[in-house]
Amino acid sequence: MKRQIIDTIERYDKIIIHRHVRPDPDAYGSQIGLKELISLNYPNKKVFATGIHENTLDFLARPDKVLDEDFKDALIIVTDTANTERIDDDRYKLGSYLIKIDHHPNDDAYGDLLWVNTSASSVSEMICELFEEAKEYRSWKLDASIARLLFAGIVGDTGRFMFQSTTLQTMKYAGQLLSHGFDRTELFNGMYEVERNLLHLKGYVYENFSMDENGVGFVKLTREILQKYNVAESEASLLVSALADVKGMRCWVFFIEDEKEIRVRLRSKGPIINEIAKKYGGGGHPLASGASVKSWDEADVVIKDLKML
């Protein structure tokens, strides 16, 4: 499979790489890391990373401006995106051939060539695996800037190597990436330093979350609360893992209201929660998933569903 992907990359002069909406470090790490990896090893190819930029990831990278005509006869690669509804930039349909590289459950088997590995900690880890194959197969090289992107993606999706998805293979690749000598302190500062107003909102979360006797928790962040603390919806999403520190917490849900809908962020220490996400038009991993609802009444139904686990 990996050699098929490498062979396909070699056949195309233009390559456009997509990822999911509302990107996280693994989305950028895998997408832009792969872009830079291909560009380094095939400097004559035109390689683009498309999608709406997430300002909280300024420290990591920025996507490109891609014109409609760039998609003509282009190879499309979509990373870290389980279903077509979540692909950022629907112009992916204009390409000539589509490759899916992902680590979520393959409920939407889109694409002409699919590489899905649900045991991988992150798609950034999968790009490391692709590089290892290409290094042997086509003598690919990797530099410090690419290593930084892939390392950020792995760190982000493993919760700094604390999640169960972290394996010996994950640590092996992380160690190899560190050997390239990028500034790890600068990277961690970008990933984890936050403004005081976000810390104040975190205090609100700790004071106002609810947890029942079975370890099911939730917190509701309305637009009024976000405005009070002057925190954007995307910034509030950074706090979803905060309740993992609560003793006795088995699974929980964050509700974050924006202008059009209420984002549902589900997390678990054991119970499988991605089936609940699918019920509300979302999806994700068994222990980390997301969806959206239209009202607070519907949010209360999500809580009831979570309590049934």
Side-chain angles (χ1 to χ4, degrees):
M1 177 61 68
K2 293 186 286 292
R3 293 199 175 190
Q4 282 183 271
I5 292 172
I6 296 162
D7 289 341
T8 306
I9 287 171
E10 290 191 337
R11 287 201 303 269
Y12 283 84
D13 295 324
K14 285 191 301 182
I15 301 168
I16 301 174
I17 307 176
H18 296 244
R19 38 75 183 163
H20 61 75
V21 295
R22 295 194 285 267
D24 55 13
D26 187 36
Y28 267 26
S30 59
Q31 178 201 29
I32 302 179
L34 179 58
K35 172 207 162 180
E36 297 298 336
L37 186 60
I38 296 171
S39 297
L40 176 65
N41 290 282
Y42 301 96
N44 293 326
K45 294 184 184 295
K46 293 182 178 179
V47 191
F48 305 95
T50 188
I52 297 173
H53 178 55
E54 171 54 57
N55 291 331
T56 60
L57 297 176
D58 277 344
F59 70 94
L60 194 55
R62 296 183 70 92
D64 303 304
K65 292 182 179 179
V66 187
L67 304 176
D68 288 351
E69 52 262 36
D70 293 324
F71 285 84
K72 180 177 174 56
D73 299 322
L75 169 64
I76 306 298
I77 303 176
V78 182
T79 67
D80 198 30
T81 310
N83 50 61
T84 54
E85 290 80 6
R86 298 200 71 230
I87 299 175
D88 195 338
D89 191 344
D90 62 8
R91 292 180 296 172
Y92 73 89
K93 302 171 186 176
L94 303 178
S96 175
Y97 192 89
L98 193 156
I99 298 175
K100 174 184 182 181
I101 303 177
D102 191 33
H103 70 139
H104 299 92
N106 194 27
D107 296 321
D108 183 356
Y110 65 87
D112 301 296
L113 180 61
L114 291 74
W115 179 27
V116 177
N117 180 6
T118 56
S119 65
S121 71
S122 55
V123 180
S124 293
E125 178 179 322
M126 294 176 69
I127 302 304
C128 291
E129 187 178 344
L130 181 68
F131 166 71
E132 286 291 302
E133 186 70 28
K135 181 180 178 182
E136 177 184 337
Y137 183 45
R138 287 290 188 263
S139 301
W140 279 21
K141 298 178 181 179
L142 183 148
D143 63 18
S145 63
I146 299 166
R148 177 180 179 272
L149 285 161
L150 297 177
F151 186 81
I154 291 173
V155 168
D157 254 29
T158 60
R160 288 181 268 190
F161 307 106
M162 293 176 62
F163 296 163
Q164 292 179 7
S165 59
T166 304
T167 65
L168 289 174
Q169 186 83 308
T170 308
M171 302 303 289
K172 170 193 167 186
Y173 287 134
Q176 291 174 349
L177 294 171
L178 284 175
S179 71
H180 287 272
F182 58 87
D183 189 336
R184 194 179 358 161
T185 300
E186 175 269 338
L187 177 62
F188 282 155
N189 287 344
M191 293 182 73
Y192 297 111
E193 282 187 345
V194 297
E195 299 291 343
R196 291 176 62 184
N197 57 330
L198 188 60
L199 287 176
H200 293 158
L201 179 61
K202 189 175 185 179
Y204 173 89
V205 168
Y206 283 140
E207 288 184 353
N208 291 277
F209 77 88
S210 297
M211 183 175 75
D212 68 12
E213 64 279 5
N214 295 316
V216 177
F218 69 89
V219 66
K220 298 178 178 180
L221 299 180
T222 64
R223 290 193 67 199
E224 289 75 19
I225 292 170
L226 296 181
Q227 289 167 358
K228 175 183 176 181
Y229 289 94
N230 192 28
V231 172
E233 295 89 351
S234 59
E235 294 174 314
S237 294
L238 299 174
L239 301 179
V240 171
S241 296
L243 296 185
D245 297 333
V246 179
K247 186 175 182 179
M249 187 74 77
R250 295 173 57 246
C251 54
W252 65 97
V253 55
F254 260 62
F255 297 104
I256 304 171
E257 186 179 23
D258 63 21
E259 294 181 0
K260 298 180 180 179
E261 58 191 8
I262 301 168
R263 301 184 191 181
V264 180
R265 296 291 176 261
L266 294 151
R267 296 294 184 268
S268 174
K269 295 180 182 178
I272 304 303
I273 44 83
N274 58 348
E275 290 300 324
I276 293 177
K278 292 176 189 176
K279 180 179 176 181
Y280 297 92
H285 301 287
L287 304 182
S289 299
S292 298
V293 295
K294 298 298 184 183
S295 69
W296 288 110
D297 287 340
E298 195 175 8
D300 288 336
V301 178
V302 175
I303 296 170
K304 290 181 181 178
D305 289 341
L306 201 60
K307 289 183 176 182
M308 295 294 290
L309 294 178

